[in-house]
Amino acid sequence: MKPTRPARAPTVSTTLRTLRVRAGSGDRRRGQILVPGGAIPCALGAAGIVRAKREGDGGSPRGSFRLLGGAYRHDRLGLRPVTALKLRRTGPQDGWCDDPRDRRYNRPIRLPAPGVNHERMWRDDGLYDVVIDLDYNRGPIRPRRGSAIFLHVARPGFRPTEGCVALRLPDLLRLLRRVGPHTRLRIV
């Protein structure tokens, strides 16, 4: 009897090179991600799309950004979302430094981090049940130019973000099936 090979994980084909985000007419805090065959509603920053992003300004930065991978809440989703992006499980110790005075600014950190302003990646409100890191202000990182700019789950009613792009969870999970490390998110 021949030994059997372990089954391979299903491959994911990346179909989208660019996701284009535009503000909606009449409300700069809401927008759409344009994809072939349609548009996906999304929430933007409270200040809409801004050209010169600053820490705490509530703006979603204009530009073209790579999808660097992300994280998901295994305890809520169960299975890893299907995507060609690298994803890891989030845990209660995961944070993101948004303190311009700290050398870890705009990078993941371990919690607790006393005396350092940060985002908790393990959230009770579900916004980061799936979170994709965009390469905004990542190389080189410039203090006070904005941090923690993500693609993540939207609040009910698409209430504004602090600068991220946010979608309903089912839309985000469907979109992840069609993106990969070569996909760019263009916020225009």
Side-chain angles (χ1 to χ4, degrees):
M1 180 180 249
K2 282 178 111 175
T4 59
R5 287 181 170 166
R8 286 186 177 196
T11 58
V12 177
S13 69
T14 302
T15 58
L16 299 176
R17 285 285 193 187
T18 304
L19 303 172
R20 189 167 160 244
V21 179
R22 71 172 183 198
S25 59
D27 187 352
R28 65 185 181 177
R29 303 170 305 169
R30 293 195 54 182
Q32 297 177 324
I33 296 181
L34 305 175
V35 296
I40 303 168
C42 65
L44 300 170
I49 298 171
V50 298
R51 287 189 189 276
K53 173 82 182 137
R54 304 296 292 167
E55 187 68 44
D57 68 1
S60 295
R62 182 179 306 273
S64 180
F65 311 106
R66 290 178 301 132
L67 309 180
L68 298 179
Y72 68 102
R73 287 277 304 255
H74 182 266
D75 62 315
R76 293 206 181 150
L77 298 180
L79 298 175
R80 177 190 183 278
V82 176
T83 185
L85 294 170
K86 290 182 181 179
L87 293 182
R88 63 176 184 72
R89 291 182 181 186
T90 303
Q93 73 288 347
D94 292 318
W96 196 275
C97 181
D98 59 10
D99 191 335
R101 300 165 299 151
D102 193 275
R103 63 179 171 74
R104 299 167 294 179
Y105 179 67
N106 201 24
R107 292 185 182 93
I109 60 172
R110 301 281 291 178
L111 300 178
V116 176
N117 292 333
H118 62 273
E119 292 256 349
R120 287 193 160 285
M121 302 306 289
W122 182 270
R123 295 175 63 126
D124 293 333
D125 61 11
L127 296 186
Y128 291 169
D129 283 0
V130 177
V131 60
I132 304 301
D133 180 17
L134 303 179
D135 77 342
Y136 175 75
N137 193 22
R138 296 302 295 278
I141 294 173
R142 294 168 288 171
R144 291 178 273 299
R145 292 298 291 267
S147 62
I149 302 298
F150 303 130
L151 182 62
H152 65 74
V153 179
R155 289 181 173 90
F158 291 102
R159 290 193 321 266
T161 69
E162 293 183 31
C164 299
V165 176
L167 304 126
R168 289 184 291 242
L169 179 60
D171 290 337
L172 181 53
L173 293 173
R174 273 192 301 279
L175 185 63
L176 286 178
R177 291 176 172 270
R178 301 183 64 195
V179 301
H182 299 291
T183 303
R184 297 190 76 83
L185 183 77
R186 284 188 55 230
I187 302 175
V188 298

